[in-house]
Amino acid sequence: MVKFSNQYSAYIVEFDNYIIRSAFQAIVSSKGEVFGYEALSRILCRDTGQFIRPDIFFRNNDNNYSLLFEVNVCHLMTFKSSEFDSLHIKLFVNLRPYFFLKYMTSLIL
């Protein structure tokens, strides 16, 4: 479940022993203007205090659609509350093409 963390001053997802937060990387046009941001996940292991590479974390949790959905909700909520949000700025999220189909199927079953 996505919640606001006063400790991190951000929305987070808590999953097992991990804390997942959002970060945003600017996407710049050929004219040097920011036209959007890519949503990225930052994953912290509570036990060790170490950051986990997203590719490793998500490779091990690729079929947990409720987790993936919550992470993307976290990205949206964090972006909407950030200084980056405006009508002309786009948010890019990384989803596999079948994500919504698989997620909706898992809800029905």
Side-chain angles (χ1 to χ4, degrees):
M1 183 170 110
V2 178
K3 69 178 191 176
F4 189 81
S5 168
N6 289 324
Q7 177 183 357
Y8 296 104
S9 297
Y11 289 98
I12 64 168
V13 173
E14 293 178 315
F15 173 74
D16 289 343
N17 197 35
Y18 301 98
I19 296 171
I20 305 166
R21 295 186 292 152
S22 300
F24 301 101
Q25 175 69 45
I27 300 174
V28 182
S29 72
S30 59
K31 296 178 182 178
E33 300 168 347
V34 174
F35 68 90
Y37 289 88
E38 178 183 13
L40 305 169
S41 296
R42 297 295 176 247
I43 303 138
L44 177 69
C45 178
R46 287 186 206 184
D47 284 345
T48 65
Q50 298 291 317
F51 282 95
I52 308 299
R53 286 184 13 207
D55 62 317
I56 293 171
F57 179 83
F58 288 114
R59 183 180 318 126
N60 294 329
N61 293 288
D62 194 39
N63 291 322
N64 187 334
Y65 295 101
S66 60
L67 171 64
L68 297 173
F69 184 82
E70 291 298 320
V71 168
N72 284 295
V73 168
C74 182
H75 290 330
L76 292 170
M77 291 173 71
T78 302
F79 188 78
K80 290 298 293 175
S81 67
S82 75
E83 70 273 12
F84 306 127
D85 184 35
S86 75
L87 291 176
H88 68 280
I89 296 293
K90 297 179 181 348
L91 177 64
F92 294 81
V93 293
N94 295 307
L95 298 172
R96 295 186 185 276
Y98 59 81
F99 173 78
F100 289 103
L101 176 63
K102 294 269 189 173
Y103 179 73
M104 296 307 292
T105 303
S106 70
L107 287 179
I108 294 168
L109 301 176

